[in-house]
Amino acid sequence: MSEVQKPPTDLKTVVDAEIKEWHFHIYFHQNNADEHAAALQLRDAVLRLRRDGAFVAVPLFRVNTAPIGPHPVGSYEIWGPSETFASVFSYLCMHRGDLSILVHPLTREQRKDHEIRNAWIGPSFPLDLSTLPLRSDEIPLQYPSLKLGYSAKPSLSLEMRLKLGANVEHLLASEKEAARAPARD
């Protein structure tokens, strides 16, 4: 029987390993004109909302009208930095209609990102993982001119994070429903 690995709790280790960039793959059956149109309408809405400052999300210029790479149906990719991940995820959850969306992080381990670190908004599709490398030497940095995601400078030092955490614990002390963090070792 294999031993269960404990999740890390060292602040520096966790912060250094934080995922900074994400992909959202919007799927549509390429022979279904209504799904294809809905996917393009969603893409256009994301572009308009990015322009208007709702969030930072960058649809790839290309819309795949046939399977490509691990993706078994028509699709397109939207890149999102961690700084606006929640806003993009929220918008896609609320406005995807009947489309399925694969969400995965961008790390050096593309196969794991697509297979076990993924999430689906809507029904999942089987992926062809044989097309993906197990590990890359480089972090898959995208759109460095935006200075977001892996290109961003850290916004909080470890000391600032410790103070923030202590303040959150203090504020939650009077909340009956909030679990208490264990004492520091």
Side-chain angles (χ1 to χ4, degrees):
M1 186 180 281
S2 65
E3 188 176 320
V4 176
Q5 187 177 5
K6 286 184 174 182
T9 59
D10 173 71
L11 180 61
K12 181 171 177 15
T13 301
V14 170
V15 169
D16 288 348
E18 189 174 272
I19 295 164
K20 306 284 188 192
E21 298 183 11
W22 299 82
H23 276 172
F24 300 85
H25 294 276
I26 288 61
Y27 282 12
F28 58 91
H29 292 98
Q30 61 270 16
N31 295 324
N32 182 320
D34 290 339
E35 279 189 20
H36 191 190
L40 294 177
Q41 288 171 354
L42 182 61
R43 184 176 185 273
D44 183 66
V46 167
L47 287 166
R48 290 170 186 274
L49 289 164
R50 181 189 72 201
R51 176 200 64 204
D52 294 345
F55 42 66
V56 176
V58 183
L60 196 63
F61 71 93
R62 178 182 66 236
V63 175
N64 304 311
T65 56
I68 187 170
H71 309 292
V73 294
S75 67
Y76 61 87
E77 168 189 302
I78 297 175
W79 171 87
S82 59
E83 292 88 344
T84 63
F85 175 85
S87 296
V88 176
F89 189 91
S90 173
Y91 182 78
L92 293 174
C93 280
M94 298 299 292
H95 302 287
R96 70 177 180 83
D98 292 331
L99 302 171
S100 289
I101 302 173
L102 167 64
V103 183
H104 69 81
L106 295 177
T107 74
R108 289 182 172 101
E109 299 173 307
Q110 289 184 46
R111 191 169 298 180
K112 280 186 179 179
D113 293 347
H114 285 77
E115 181 179 26
I116 61 174
R117 295 177 181 146
N118 67 6
W120 286 90
I121 307 171
S124 64
F125 282 71
L127 303 178
D128 179 4
L129 300 171
S130 69
T131 64
L132 298 172
L134 291 176
R135 184 160 177 85
S136 303
D137 292 334
E138 302 290 322
I139 290 177
L141 174 71
Q142 287 188 279
Y143 310 107
S145 62
L146 296 176
K147 297 191 182 335
L148 295 170
Y150 291 114
S151 303
K153 291 186 175 16
S155 59
L156 294 173
S157 67
L158 293 179
E159 294 77 25
M160 290 168 68
R161 287 176 182 258
L162 285 167
K163 287 180 184 176
L164 178 63
N167 188 45
V168 168
E169 289 303 310
H170 173 74
L171 292 171
L172 289 176
S174 63
E175 296 286 343
K176 293 186 299 186
E177 300 292 322
R180 306 291 177 253
R184 292 195 198 286
D185 296 333

